[in-house]
Amino acid sequence: MAWMTYISHWFEQDDWYEGLQRVNMSQVRQVGLLAAGCQPWNRDVCAASGDRFAYCATLAIYVYQLDHHYNEFKLHAIMSEHKKTITALSWCPHNPDLFASGSADNLVIIWNVAEQKVIAKLDNTKGTPASLSWCWNAGDAVAFASHRGPLFIWTISGPDSGVTVHKDAHSFLSDICMFRWHTQKKGKVAFGHIDGSLSIFQPGNKSQKHVLRPDSLEGTDEEDPVSALEWDPLSTDYLLVANLHHGIRLVDSESLCCITTFSFPSAAASVQCLAWVPSAPGMFITGDSQVGVLRIWNVSRTTPVDNFKLKKTGFHCLHVLNSPPRKKFSNQSPTKNHYTSSTSEAVPPPTLTQNQAFSLPPGHAVCCFLDGGVGLYDMGAKKWDFLRDLGHVETIFDCKFKPDNPNLLATASFDGTIKVWDINTLTAVYTSPGNEGVIYSLSWAPGDLNCIAGATSRNGAFIWDIKKGKMIQRFNEHGKNGIFCIAWSHKDSKRIATCSGDGYCIIRTIDGKILHKYRHPAAVFGCDWSQNNKDMIATGCEDKNVRVYYVATSSDQPLKVFSGHTEKVFHVRWSPLREGTLCSGSDDGSVRIWDYTQDACINILSGHTAPVRGLMWNTEIPYLLISGSWDYTIKVWDTREGICLDTVCDHGADVYGLTCHPRRPFTMASCSRDSTVRLWSLTPLITPLQINILADRSWEEIIGNTDSAIEQGAPPLLCGKVSRDIKQEIEKLSGNLRMKKLRWFSECLSPPGGSDNLWNLVAVIKGQDDSLLPQNYCKGIMHLKHLIKFRTSEAQELTTVKMSKFGGGIGVPTKEERLKEAAQIHLRLGQIQRYCELMVELGEWDKALSVAPSVSVKYWKKLMQRRADQLIQEDKDDVIPYCIAIGDVKKLVHFFMSRGQLKEALLVAQAACEGNMQTFHVSTAKGPSFSDDIYKEDFNELLQEACRELAEWYFQDGRAVLAACCHLAVDNIELAMAYLIRGNELELAVCVGTVLGEPAAPATHYALELLARKCMMIPACFPSVGYRYYLVFLHALWFL
């Protein structure tokens, strides 16, 4: 069977079983990552080597590596060891697996990227290593300097290992911005300073300190920092220098003179960064500091060759890759033949750019922007190969799902912004205006108000309307004191609570009317509204106590004060399922569970080794609590017995915020000082429940009440709103309820990222009417019977959009004039093929193709193929109409696949299968060369190939469910099931296989067998539920 063939290639059963034993079935699984952006504070925070590039967030280094199979860069590693802000990054010029980084805690680290580990550390660097670089003349030495120097050289290994001071590079009069070693001249190094000057040192030569200031600065105290500094790779003496306000100069480091001063089109333009282009001698690029304009220059002229506005925000740093991504698609180029007869093929010139004198370099620039955005820009093709926009660059203190649209997640950061993310695409869709100082906390407005309340360190609190993109209300009752928490009541949408360092918790209406000011003896760090009583609010205070207030009365005294913590209390959280129960996290490292009705602490959860910050109750399992700490961990607790069920150590720094998905209660998000947001699945914690659902057990074994669920040793039962709503909807239905039950519970228990898409495709295969498909169906992977229809509709909508074309004439050299004249003569003599070849040689393909049919249709088709081949070699989108015109669908599909445009390849292949792309038949004396059936068979093979490639791309990206969707889209049920099994989505595979029935039966049974083996290794989270319990259920399932 096809599915078993695929499975056998992926793993042997025993290996899979042993693998599960090795990982011991971790209870919490990471299912998504929002990577941090590039920090905007330090200069040398971007580097590249070969097919890798890296950038620094505040505390971590993100390394991307080229996936040669898909020709795209993917996140390869997050290197996190620094405890304070990373200040510089430098890749080893002699070993592409090594790079060095420095940080504000006086630490330099040497990393091995391939092994993803630290191989050497240097502590106590006698000052912050503000600038850092590998020594080009020594393979194992790294140089670094603090702001005023001196330059230290750390030899990592060998007999001379240790730290020495450069004999000349010290006692500077101005802070160092950066320094650069010469790549060819041993020991030569240049420094750029804050005052705009340079210092140049070379063994055997006189030291030159603070020379070559811009002429306009001479004799003044004005400062103009050196913003970029790079040696000319083709010279031993030339140095390219950029000052922030006085532009770019090419200087001679020997004669100490300025060779060329480059001019900007506007006096307002200023250079933030620059880089030479290795693939184009004499070419360099610059990034503007105010707006994201990338300029391309050549040293032979003083003005830019070209300008591209890439973003609204300014550049921070950039780097050009030495080896740009290689294209997988190769086409045999025609044999060059410079002798041309009337029938020989001309050698066409490359397609020219608008700027005749300078063609754009075929380079890829790693671009980092001041807003944290990071991208890889293809300068030759003028397009982004990769762009990650609007990442946070500092600690993320809080995160919350939008109540009415949980596909949106908001985050609040030290960088002064709130960002709203689409968790399906992991991209930012909204960002607040900024300039708010530190934002400690956020709270969504209830319902569909599309507003977020934020709490800041010095600017009070605010309400931000995300649709209007502006602040619509501000609250300043706390003065300049920091507000640590803000909570919008979801039971009474007019109330907002804030708590502050001034010792007050203030309750107000959204229009600013103060309802209560609850005074505390010290700073108040946390507050939370009860979800069971709209008038109850709890607070956490620096005096180590938890207080509960009743806002329906006029009293300013608390109803209850809970004491027991030995350090300050930070956050408090009411249980959504157990009325009167709340938890608190403290700097003493513990979490305490309080019962309001008993006026007592009913449990203490000990295990964290640092202050506790994040707290989150699960909204379906009443005893399940998750905590996050400054010890970098997330812990999952069974609060009945105080047992820690699992510890997650993936974050690289303090964990601050935790939030539960409103409609998928076993999906949660966390945020951290490592500037990342991570999505997690808690589903493995409730394996007994999943088995009950799969086995179609009674409702009493799936959904229960809180009292029975919190009994010690009881198996998990769902007690929340989501499960109750599912039960109510199923009880309203008639007919085959099991299919609906499996689907709805599967969507509830699965994390975002494809499960909805998967079930929509299952419904299509089972014959559901198209009118019942959801509106967002067309945004995912569609069944191929819908693909062309939806994309055609999309194209019709786009015809209403006005588009403009940019182009310009190209000056024609004398030789071209002569060739044109010759072509006109051939045309008048009726030598059409010779005319066409001359037009090709001139690059005027349109003229050649317009008259080629008068030679023969066969010649026209051949000429079209040659044009397509050239455009493929140049990686131009213009190839598409040529391939379609001659019916070369295979070439076009492979072209798209070579560029990683797998969805486009799938679309073209499906269009061909539906007969929308006609293969051009050239008749012969014996009749057509191929039948339509043969072509259709070829197209089906192409379609399956594109589908397999797209599925494997999703799988390699960690999205097994979407990989399965690709195969369901072409009715390949066996391979869809195989991908779910391969991705260890066993419960989902059983659900889907059960609904699909007989076509999926063998794979369903195999998934059940694997699920049984998985259940045998369930840890003792539920001591009363032995593995035999699961095996009995699974055995019963086998015969359903």
Side-chain angles (χ1 to χ4, degrees):
M1 299 177 192
W3 68 272
M4 184 58 81
T5 303
Y6 269 68
I7 289 290
S8 65
H9 285 307
W10 292 331
F11 56 81
E12 295 293 332
Q13 293 184 29
D14 290 340
D15 292 342
W16 183 88
Y17 179 76
E18 290 169 6
L20 289 181
Q21 288 180 314
R22 282 195 301 272
V23 300
N24 196 28
M25 292 305 296
S26 176
Q27 296 296 285
V28 178
R29 180 166 60 101
Q30 184 172 308
V31 294
L33 169 71
L34 294 172
C38 182
Q39 57 152 294
W41 305 290
N42 298 293
R43 295 186 183 277
D44 291 330
V45 290
C46 168
S49 178
D51 57 1
R52 297 187 182 113
F53 71 85
Y55 68 87
C56 303
T58 307
L59 297 172
I61 301 165
Y62 288 76
V63 182
Y64 284 76
Q65 183 165 320
L66 178 65
D67 183 328
H68 291 281
H69 183 72
Y70 296 107
N71 198 45
E72 65 179 358
F73 280 87
K74 292 183 177 179
L75 182 61
H76 173 69
I78 302 176
M79 317 292 265
S80 177
E81 186 75 17
H82 292 285
K83 302 299 184 287
K84 291 190 176 180
T85 303
I86 298 170
T87 54
L89 174 70
S90 178
W91 221 293
C92 178
H94 317 293
N95 185 343
D97 287 339
L98 302 183
F99 67 82
S101 59
S103 60
D105 50 0
N106 300 344
L107 177 66
V108 175
I109 297 178
I110 309 298
W111 307 82
N112 186 304
V113 182
E115 299 177 13
Q116 298 188 28
K117 69 178 185 180
V118 174
I119 60 172
K121 275 187 182 183
L122 178 66
D123 295 308
N124 301 319
T125 56
K126 299 179 183 179
T128 301
S131 192
L132 174 147
S133 176
W134 283 86
C135 299
W136 278 77
N137 59 316
D140 61 348
V142 174
F144 57 91
S146 59
H147 295 291
R148 284 290 174 100
L151 181 67
F152 293 100
I153 299 175
W154 174 30
T155 303
I156 303 161
S157 59
D160 299 325
S161 63
V163 179
T164 57
V165 177
H166 193 283
K167 66 184 184 71
D168 298 314
H170 55 79
S171 304
F172 295 109
L173 302 177
S174 177
D175 283 358
I176 299 168
C177 297
M178 65 192 65
F179 68 91
R180 296 289 184 267
W181 293 100
H182 201 290
T183 59
Q184 301 170 25
K185 219 163 187 177
K186 184 175 180 179
K188 190 171 185 177
V189 61
F191 291 78
H193 297 280
I194 289 286
D195 66 357
S197 67
L198 305 177
S199 295
I200 301 167
F201 304 97
Q202 181 178 347
N205 287 25
K206 180 184 177 182
S207 299
Q208 303 291 342
K209 285 189 179 179
H210 301 291
V211 296
L212 291 169
R213 289 187 81 201
D215 292 339
S216 57
L217 296 179
E218 289 298 339
T220 71
D221 294 331
E222 183 182 348
E223 291 187 341
D224 185 13
V226 174
S227 58
L229 186 69
E230 298 293 342
W231 290 102
D232 186 338
L234 301 180
S235 167
T236 56
D237 302 319
Y238 289 179
L239 183 64
L240 197 60
V241 185
N243 292 80
L244 188 59
H245 304 298
H246 288 82
I248 314 166
R249 298 170 290 154
L250 184 65
V251 301
D252 188 328
S253 63
E254 288 294 315
S255 62
L256 300 181
C257 67
C258 178
I259 300 169
T260 307
T261 300
F262 297 91
S263 304
F264 282 87
S266 165
S270 58
V271 177
Q272 178 68 22
C273 47
L274 62 81
W276 292 98
V277 182
S279 60
M283 304 282 281
F284 64 93
I285 59 175
T286 62
D288 283 19
S289 61
Q290 301 301 316
V291 291
V293 176
L294 180 75
R295 304 187 195 275
I296 298 179
W297 305 75
N298 189 285
V299 292
S300 64
R301 57 186 279 180
T302 60
T303 56
V305 174
D306 215 335
N307 308 285
F308 308 119
K309 186 174 181 181
L310 304 185
K311 274 174 67 74
K312 292 181 180 179
T313 50
F315 273 85
H316 177 57
C317 54
L318 55 80
H319 198 103
V320 177
L321 291 181
N322 289 322
S323 55
R326 294 185 291 273
K327 302 300 176 187
K328 290 192 301 175
F329 191 95
S330 63
N331 215 52
Q332 191 68 30
S333 58
T335 303
K336 293 189 177 182
N337 186 351
H338 295 288
Y339 169 75
T340 53
S341 67
S342 61
T343 57
S344 62
E345 292 184 4
V347 179
T351 305
L352 297 176
T353 63
Q354 295 178 28
N355 192 313
Q356 177 210 349
F358 299 95
S359 61
L360 299 183
H364 287 70
V366 181
C367 304
C368 300
F369 298 91
L370 292 172
D371 65 357
V374 180
L376 185 68
Y377 188 72
D378 185 333
M379 293 179 288
K382 301 182 183 179
K383 65 177 184 179
W384 289 107
D385 275 359
F386 157 88
L387 178 63
R388 191 183 178 283
D389 216 357
L390 301 175
H392 280 300
V393 296
E394 253 289 5
T395 301
I396 304 174
F397 285 114
D398 200 6
C399 57
K400 295 286 193 309
F401 285 105
K402 193 173 191 294
D404 68 312
N405 181 8
N407 286 326
L408 298 181
L409 175 73
T411 54
S413 172
F414 188 97
D415 63 18
T417 64
I418 292 176
K419 298 183 189 299
V420 180
W421 308 82
D422 183 326
I423 61 170
N424 291 310
T425 60
L426 301 180
T427 55
V429 291
Y430 303 104
T431 186
S432 65
N435 300 319
E436 296 294 338
V438 179
I439 301 181
Y440 287 125
S441 175
L442 67 86
S443 184
W444 283 97
D448 58 354
L449 295 179
N450 293 316
C451 290
I452 296 175
T456 75
S457 60
R458 63 172 186 266
N459 292 331
F462 60 81
I463 297 177
W464 170 43
D465 187 314
I466 64 172
K467 295 292 187 181
K468 295 178 180 177
K470 64 180 183 179
M471 306 301 178
I472 59 173
Q473 183 64 280
R474 288 193 177 273
F475 308 113
N476 298 302
E477 303 92 345
H478 295 285
K480 291 296 182 181
N481 295 287
I483 300 176
F484 298 109
C485 186
I486 190 164
W488 202 320
S489 172
H490 282 233
K491 294 288 185 180
D492 184 347
S493 61
K494 294 181 179 180
R495 294 176 183 168
I496 294 179
T498 56
C499 51
S500 167
D502 63 4
Y504 282 98
C505 174
I506 297 179
I507 315 295
R508 66 181 65 72
T509 60
I510 56 174
D511 59 5
K513 179 184 177 182
I514 294 179
L515 302 176
H516 291 280
K517 288 184 72 173
Y518 295 124
R519 183 181 179 86
H520 293 65
V524 192
F525 293 107
C527 61
D528 190 46
W529 292 97
S530 170
Q531 298 183 46
N532 297 299
N533 186 326
K534 70 181 181 67
D535 295 321
M536 272 196 177
I537 190 168
T539 62
C541 183
E542 192 174 17
D543 71 349
K544 310 171 190 176
N545 292 328
V546 176
R547 291 172 173 82
V548 177
Y549 293 89
Y550 190 65
V551 300
T553 69
S554 59
S555 172
D556 62 355
Q557 296 302 306
L559 287 179
K560 302 278 186 181
V561 179
F562 295 113
S563 301
H565 282 294
T566 58
E567 298 289 344
K568 71 181 179 189
V569 178
F570 209 85
H571 279 311
V572 290
R573 290 287 181 268
W574 289 94
S575 168
L577 301 174
R578 299 161 66 182
E579 188 169 358
T581 300
L582 69 157
C583 66
S584 57
S586 166
D587 278 15
D588 62 16
S590 73
V591 178
R592 287 180 175 252
I593 313 299
W594 310 92
D595 188 321
Y596 176 85
T597 60
Q598 298 180 33
D599 198 12
C601 174
I602 58 175
N603 220 328
I604 302 174
L605 310 178
S606 300
H608 284 297
T609 58
V612 176
R613 288 296 178 264
L615 290 171
M616 186 199 88
W617 290 96
N618 184 262
T619 56
E620 284 288 342
I621 307 295
Y623 55 80
L624 206 59
L625 177 71
I626 297 91
S627 61
S629 167
W630 280 8
D631 63 10
Y632 301 10
T633 69
I634 297 171
K635 289 185 179 290
V636 183
W637 305 90
D638 182 336
T639 60
R640 297 173 298 184
E641 302 178 9
I643 296 172
C644 179
L645 302 179
D646 197 17
T647 299
V648 181
C649 305
D650 292 47
H651 275 295
D654 316 338
V655 179
Y656 279 98
L658 299 169
T659 183
C660 185
H661 194 289
R663 295 178 193 166
R664 298 176 186 266
F666 298 96
T667 296
M668 74 169 186
S670 63
C671 59
S672 164
R673 191 166 64 92
D674 67 7
S675 306
T676 67
V677 176
R678 297 169 192 253
L679 300 177
W680 310 90
S681 173
L682 304 177
T683 307
L685 292 163
I686 55 161
T687 299
L689 264 174
Q690 290 181 289
I691 301 300
N692 286 345
I693 294 167
L694 290 175
D696 202 22
R697 306 292 291 185
S698 66
W699 285 114
E700 289 74 20
E701 295 177 80
I702 299 171
I703 295 176
N705 59 59
T706 300
D707 292 338
S708 59
I710 62 173
E711 292 179 3
Q712 290 192 4
L717 291 173
L718 301 175
C719 304
K721 182 178 184 302
V722 174
S723 58
R724 290 198 307 272
D725 288 348
I726 291 175
K727 181 183 178 184
Q728 289 174 6
E729 289 299 317
I730 289 173
E731 289 175 342
K732 294 177 185 176
L733 302 175
S734 58
N736 190 349
L737 304 182
R738 190 173 183 221
M739 290 176 61
K740 285 291 186 184
K741 185 176 181 181
L742 285 173
R743 172 171 183 168
W744 288 346
F745 273 114
S746 172
E747 290 175 341
C748 162
L749 302 180
S750 300
S755 61
D756 290 343
N757 197 162
L758 184 76
W759 283 108
N760 287 334
L761 289 167
V762 169
V764 171
I765 291 173
K766 295 295 289 182
Q768 176 181 288
D769 190 275
D770 290 353
S771 63
L772 299 177
L773 290 169
Q775 281 188 328
N776 63 354
Y777 169 68
C778 60
K779 295 181 180 179
I781 297 171
M782 291 179 279
H783 193 279
L784 291 189
K785 74 177 186 179
H786 299 134
L787 182 60
I788 301 301
K789 179 177 73 173
F790 277 100
R791 292 301 296 271
T792 300
S793 174
E794 181 185 353
Q796 289 171 346
E797 290 178 18
L798 290 173
T799 56
T800 61
V801 179
K802 294 182 179 179
M803 303 183 68
S804 60
K805 291 184 178 180
F806 298 90
I810 300 174
V812 184
T814 305
K815 178 183 175 182
E816 295 185 1
E817 290 282 4
R818 289 200 303 269
L819 288 175
K820 278 193 173 184
E821 186 177 350
Q824 292 300 321
I825 293 171
H826 283 295
L827 184 62
R828 284 159 177 73
L829 292 174
Q831 297 171 350
I832 307 300
Q833 187 169 347
R834 184 70 191 107
Y835 168 81
C836 291
E837 294 299 333
L838 286 173
M839 288 294 102
V840 168
E841 192 170 346
L842 288 164
E844 298 191 20
W845 284 94
D846 290 344
K847 290 182 179 179
L849 290 168
S850 65
V851 298
S854 64
V855 178
S856 70
V857 173
K858 184 177 180 180
Y859 174 70
W860 171 80
K861 182 180 179 184
K862 186 176 181 182
L863 202 60
M864 291 282 283
Q865 287 174 330
R866 285 166 56 194
R867 177 57 171 157
D869 292 342
Q870 184 198 21
L871 292 170
I872 285 174
Q873 291 295 329
E874 296 177 358
D875 195 32
K876 297 288 180 62
D877 288 332
D878 295 340
V879 70
I880 299 169
Y882 293 94
C883 289
I884 292 174
I886 58 176
D888 201 340
V889 176
K890 185 174 183 180
K891 181 178 290 183
L892 185 55
V893 168
H894 286 161
F895 171 70
F896 279 130
M897 290 170 67
S898 73
R899 305 172 88 196
Q901 295 176 272
L902 302 178
K903 292 182 181 179
E904 298 300 311
L906 193 66
L907 179 63
V908 169
Q910 177 62 17
C913 285
E914 294 190 14
N916 295 337
M917 294 188 185
Q918 299 298 324
T919 299
F920 194 90
H921 296 271
V922 179
S923 298
T924 65
K926 296 181 181 180
S929 54
F930 296 102
S931 70
D932 289 338
D933 289 340
I934 293 176
Y935 281 115
K936 190 169 184 179
E937 185 178 334
D938 287 343
F939 294 156
N940 281 326
E941 288 179 5
L942 274 177
L943 179 64
Q944 295 297 329
E945 181 184 358
C947 195
R948 285 194 299 272
E949 193 80 6
L950 182 59
E952 188 63 18
W953 179 84
Y954 274 122
F955 188 84
Q956 293 299 330
D957 201 42
R959 294 182 279 179
V961 178
L962 288 177
C965 289
C966 293
H967 287 297
L968 281 185
V970 291
D971 294 326
N972 195 331
I973 293 172
E974 290 182 341
L975 286 185
M977 292 291 290
Y979 268 94
L980 290 175
I981 294 170
R982 182 187 177 193
N984 203 19
E985 299 283 354
L986 301 180
E987 293 86 354
L988 187 56
V990 174
C991 286
V992 169
T994 303
V995 172
L996 289 173
E998 187 60 32
T1004 305
H1005 291 167
Y1006 185 60
L1008 280 166
E1009 180 185 344
L1010 294 177
L1011 186 57
R1013 299 175 73 175
K1014 175 180 173 181
C1015 289
M1016 290 171 64
M1017 290 171 290
I1018 292 177
C1021 304
F1022 314 104
S1024 67
V1025 187
Y1027 74 86
R1028 295 183 185 279
Y1029 167 87
Y1030 306 116
L1031 296 182
V1032 171
F1033 273 8
L1034 291 168
H1035 186 74
L1037 268 174
W1038 192 283
F1039 297 101
L1040 286 177

